[in-house]
């Protein structure tokens, strides 16, 4: 993927903003509290109440008063872009709620409090705003950060601007609200395929920033596939030397050096997002097989591949190649784990169509043993559930269709159902002490077309339909607990919204397919099931859309939402 330098981001943004303000003030009869139109936050907080009092106004007198361990770093992460957008100094000061001096928050301040006694989960927070100031309280820095992301959506969309040339007409108002919030699921991922088409570091950082806005907390990077190997591995330099030169369609390649990758991990960590690296094994390995002949059973390097077929490549299970395969697994997975502060390493396992079943089981054993030896918890696609000898606690990643997959008339014309074995493979992870990440292709794969198959921003048709087409409403209506029959809520570690990039080469194309459907999956993953309602979601999307416009995101303005023009 590459950013088109000709993409007319800023004129587009400016026009959209004027429209956003008009649309917000004209918007669907939403409550207007003391001059602030309030549509709410995506994902919907567990509890959200409009208070009767006057709004808070952010002014150049505002300070960020940080109280408790870790609060200062969160305050700085919030303050940096807010200073750029407002032009206000927004100093961060260490607060002391007990003192009656400058360290006590004033009515013009934002107070950010980490209080271990607050009895909120790691990601929970409360936010109270009004004429007396804004106070966000959390038990842990992660929750405090997530509270600042709610505040970001409560502020005018101009808060997203990287410069202070456009202040909002009515001032920097925050409506008077009271929020108590925590997530439904602990793992809320955006899966990004950087293998079929490469995505540059700065574009990944932009995506992380938008993920934070939606309270997504895992960036799953699909780093390797048949068409490209995207991460530097010192012990096997040709993985990128040869394996990174290609992508789908022959548009060139790319890869992350270790320093690039650390930049991504660090930027994510500042936003309490964990990067989950995926090395897809034993299939989807043509890029590696093209780089090293000794990984192939016949000792002959494969040709580089730039097509879109799947299921034709495999590591070799032949004992004659075991030494090379095992050395490859140990070297690659340990170097990846070294770059990974988070608890998880993902080893793929999907579509092993070119691997005999017994060989697959043998390779799953060797792959997961090497991955577990790094000290990380292993995540694998559900196919690896065919093995009953997974490392205890291995997380299963289910990507087949939902159990209740229905054929709607505007969906794929031939019947598709989940493979009969997929549900059992998913349950095998539960039987072996693990949990599930749910990412059913017919509901959460954001590379599936919209049913009306619109041309993308650059005039090309985007996406595929092998699983389904997916509307915003279909993504929103997803009930994760019904993805596989017989799931308990506690079986579910979380959810993922995936973007596979076979048809996606540019940032605007990526954004068009990802947004706004990713917001639906974010809300499914975060909000209590009974806090979700489609009409409210559409209304809240108006505000989110204004923020995305200000960020220059080329999201699709799907019907049924009063988007700013
Ligand atoms: C997958 O879609 N093969 C994970």
């Amino acid at each position: 993927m590459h950013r088109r330098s000709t993409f007319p981001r800023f004129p587009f943004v400016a026009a959209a903003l004027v429209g956003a303000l008009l649309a917000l003030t004209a918007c669907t009869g939403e409550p207007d509290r003391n001059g602030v139109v309030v549509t709410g936050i995506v994902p919907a907080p567990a509890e959200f109440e409009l208070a009767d009092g006057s709004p808070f106004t952010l002014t150049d007198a505002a300070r960020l008063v940080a109280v408790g361990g870790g609060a200062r770093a969160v305050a700085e992460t919030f303050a940096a872009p807010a200073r750029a957008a407002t032009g206000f100094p927004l100093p961060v000061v260490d607060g002391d709620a007990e003192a009656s001096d400058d360290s006590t928050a004033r009515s013009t301040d934002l107070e950010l409090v980490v209080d271990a006694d607050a009895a909120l989960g790691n990601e929970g927070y409360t936010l109270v705003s009004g004429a007396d100031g804004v106070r966000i309280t959390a038990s842990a820095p992660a929750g405090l950060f997530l509270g600042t992301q709610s505040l970001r959506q409560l502020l005018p969309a101009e808060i997203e601007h990287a410069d202070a040339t456009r202040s909002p007409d009515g001032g920097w108002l925050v409506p008077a609200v009271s929020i108590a919030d925590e997530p439904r699921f602990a793992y809320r991922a955006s899966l990004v395929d950087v293998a079929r088409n490469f995505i540059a570091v700065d574009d990944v950082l932009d995506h992380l920033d938008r993920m934070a806005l939606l309270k997504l907390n895992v960036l799953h990077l699909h780093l390797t596939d048949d068409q490209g190997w995207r991460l530097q591995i010192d012990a096997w330099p040709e993985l990128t030397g040869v394996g990174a030169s290609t992508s789908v369609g022959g548009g060139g390649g790319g890869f992350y050096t270790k320093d690039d990758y650390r930049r991504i991990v660090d930027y994510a960590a500042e936003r309490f997002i964990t990067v989950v690296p995926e090395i897809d094994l034993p299939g989807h390995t043509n890029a590696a097989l093209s780089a090293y002949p000794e990984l192939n059973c016949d000792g002959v390097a494969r040709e580089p591949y730039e097509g879109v077929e799947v299921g034709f490549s495999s590591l070799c299970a032949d004992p004659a190649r075991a030494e090379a395969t095992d050395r490859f697994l140990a070297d690659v997975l340990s170097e990846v784990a070294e770059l990974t502060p988070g608890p998880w390493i993902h080893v793929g396992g999907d579509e092993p169509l070119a691997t005999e079943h017994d060989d697959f089981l043998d390779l799953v054993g060797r792959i997961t043993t090497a991955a577990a030896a790094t000290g990380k918890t292993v995540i694998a696609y559900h196919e690896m559930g065919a093995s009953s000898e997974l490392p205890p606690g291995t997380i299963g990643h289910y990507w087949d269709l939902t159990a209740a997959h229905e054929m709607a008339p505007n969906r794929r014309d031939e019947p598709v159902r989940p493979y009969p074995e997929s549900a059992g493979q998913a349950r095998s992870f539960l039987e072996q002490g693990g949990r599930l990440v749910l990412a059913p292709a017919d509901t959460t794969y954001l590379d599936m077309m919209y049913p009306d198959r619109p041309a993308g921003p650059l005039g090309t048709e985007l996406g595929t339909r092998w699983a389904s087409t997916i509307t915003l409403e279909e993504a929103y209506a997803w009930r994760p607990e019904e993805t596989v029959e017989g799931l308990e809520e506690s079986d579910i570690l979380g959810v993922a919204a995936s973007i596979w990039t076979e048809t996606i080469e540019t940032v605007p194309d990526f954004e068009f397919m990802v947004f706004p459907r990713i917001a639906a999956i974010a809300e499914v993953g975060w909000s209590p099931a009974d806090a979700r309602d489609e009409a409210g979601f559409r209304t809240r999307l108006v505000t989110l859309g204004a923020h995305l416009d200000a960020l220059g995101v080329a999201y699709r303005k799907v019907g049924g939402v009063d988007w700013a023009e």
Side-chain angles (χ1 to χ4, degrees):
M1 168 168 305
H2 54 277
R3 188 192 287 278
R4 289 235 172 144
S5 55
T6 51
F7 182 53
R9 200 161 277 239
F10 286 104
F12 165 74
V13 168
L17 254 172
V18 173
L21 290 170
L22 291 174
L24 272 174
T25 39
C27 165
T28 54
E30 283 307 301
D32 173 345
R33 294 294 170 117
N34 299 300
V36 192
V37 175
V38 185
T39 64
I41 294 170
V42 179
E47 291 172 31
F48 180 92
E49 279 177 30
L50 292 171
D52 286 331
S54 302
F56 172 78
T57 306
L58 187 73
T59 64
D60 62 359
R63 306 173 307 163
L64 281 83
V65 180
V67 181
R72 175 172 262 279
V74 172
E76 290 290 359
T77 302
F78 178 79
R83 285 179 194 129
T86 60
F88 300 155
L90 300 178
V92 176
V93 299
D94 289 322
D96 178 350
E98 307 300 317
S100 54
D101 57 17
D102 268 3
S103 60
T104 311
R106 307 169 191 148
S107 63
T108 45
D109 288 341
L110 307 172
E111 193 179 15
L112 304 183
V113 181
V114 173
D115 174 3
D117 296 333
L120 298 156
N122 184 53
E123 295 192 306
Y125 69 93
T126 60
L127 185 156
V128 178
S129 55
D132 294 341
V134 173
R135 182 185 172 100
I136 305 175
T137 307
S139 298
L144 190 66
F145 174 77
L146 292 164
T148 65
Q149 298 307 295
S150 289
L151 177 60
R152 191 174 158 192
Q153 285 193 41
L154 290 169
L155 279 159
E158 289 85 346
I159 198 67
E160 308 297 348
H161 284 147
D163 57 58
T165 55
R166 285 166 290 233
S167 22
D169 286 347
W172 296 99
L173 296 179
V174 177
V177 298
S178 171
I179 298 174
D181 202 9
E182 63 178 351
R184 177 176 175 192
F185 296 118
Y187 183 111
R188 304 175 305 280
S190 169
L191 185 164
V192 181
D193 170 10
V194 297
R196 268 50 173 271
N197 275 296
F198 184 60
I199 303 183
V201 174
D202 284 343
D203 297 329
V204 175
L205 303 190
D206 282 349
H207 186 57
L208 282 163
D209 184 53
R210 286 122 202 205
M211 286 175 58
L213 188 60
L214 294 170
K215 301 189 174 73
L216 295 166
N217 66 354
V218 173
L219 175 64
H220 170 158
L221 287 177
H222 179 77
L223 289 166
T224 68
D225 213 302
D226 293 317
Q227 299 87 346
W229 184 285
R230 306 297 179 206
L231 180 64
Q232 175 186 350
I233 301 291
D234 296 329
W236 296 71
E238 297 305 336
L239 289 172
T240 48
V242 172
S245 55
T246 43
S247 60
V248 167
F255 69 95
Y256 305 124
T257 64
K258 288 193 168 175
D259 282 345
D260 289 339
Y261 195 78
R262 286 189 197 98
R263 265 183 76 205
I264 293 171
V265 168
D266 291 348
Y267 193 88
E270 280 170 16
R271 287 152 187 78
F272 296 86
I273 294 172
T274 302
V275 178
V276 172
E278 181 198 340
I279 304 297
D280 201 352
L281 304 162
H284 290 272
T285 41
N286 193 76
L289 301 176
S290 72
Y292 286 98
E294 62 267 43
L295 295 177
N296 295 277
C297 282
D298 60 6
V300 178
R302 295 293 175 261
E303 288 298 314
Y305 183 68
E306 299 188 324
V308 295
E309 297 302 317
V310 297
F312 61 88
S313 58
S314 180
L315 290 181
C316 181
D318 187 330
R321 296 277 169 210
E323 186 279 327
T325 300
D326 288 341
R327 190 161 39 82
F328 167 80
L329 293 173
D331 290 344
V332 168
L333 295 173
S334 64
E335 288 194 36
V336 171
E338 268 168 33
L339 291 168
T340 303
W344 298 292
I345 191 165
H346 198 306
V347 292
D350 58 322
E351 299 170 308
L353 309 179
T355 318
E356 293 291 331
H357 186 66
D358 287 349
D359 289 350
F360 180 66
L361 293 181
D362 173 70
L363 285 164
V364 168
R366 289 154 60 185
I367 291 163
T368 57
T369 301
T374 68
K376 301 292 178 190
T377 298
V378 183
I379 309 184
Y381 292 120
H382 63 261
E383 287 95 327
M384 283 204 186
S387 167
S388 56
E389 294 175 4
L390 297 171
T394 298
I395 302 298
H397 180 151
Y398 181 85
W399 64 269
D400 202 344
L401 311 182
T402 51
H405 181 77
E406 296 287 342
M407 297 304 303
N410 59 356
R411 292 186 159 203
R412 183 176 160 142
D413 347 312
E414 70 200 65
V416 280
R417 301 283 305 156
Y419 287 107
E421 62 275 21
S422 297
Q425 290 168 344
R427 277 194 285 271
S428 159
F429 288 87
L430 304 176
E431 286 153 14
Q432 297 182 66
R435 300 174 76 196
L436 291 173
V437 171
L438 298 172
D442 55 336
T443 312
T444 64
Y445 270 23
L446 304 180
D447 56 314
M448 293 300 114
M449 290 177 174
Y450 298 95
D452 57 345
R453 305 171 67 164
L458 304 176
T460 54
E461 185 173 87
L462 302 175
T464 65
R465 307 194 289 156
W466 66 262
S468 190
T469 56
I470 303 176
T471 63
L472 178 69
E473 292 76 15
E474 285 163 339
Y476 192 75
W478 177 43
R479 288 188 290 276
E481 66 281 14
E482 295 176 4
T483 304
V484 173
E485 275 170 26
L487 289 186
E488 306 280 341
E489 184 88 357
S490 59
D491 294 334
I492 305 171
L493 177 63
V495 301
S498 312
I499 183 81
W500 303 96
T501 55
E502 286 95 333
T503 67
I504 295 167
E505 293 180 25
T506 67
V507 169
D509 289 347
F510 174 91
E511 294 172 345
F512 185 81
M513 295 304 278
V514 169
F515 297 92
R517 292 181 297 184
I518 196 171
I521 305 302
E523 182 147 321
V524 170
W526 176 278
S527 306
D530 61 10
R532 274 163 55 196
D533 86 289
E534 195 189 295
F537 177 62
R538 289 175 198 282
T539 306
R540 288 179 286 107
L541 277 181
V542 177
T543 301
L544 182 71
H547 283 255
L548 295 177
D549 283 330
L551 287 164
V553 176
Y555 64 96
R556 179 161 195 223
K557 300 199 168 179
V558 296
V561 179
D562 286 335
W563 302 109
E565 284 310 318

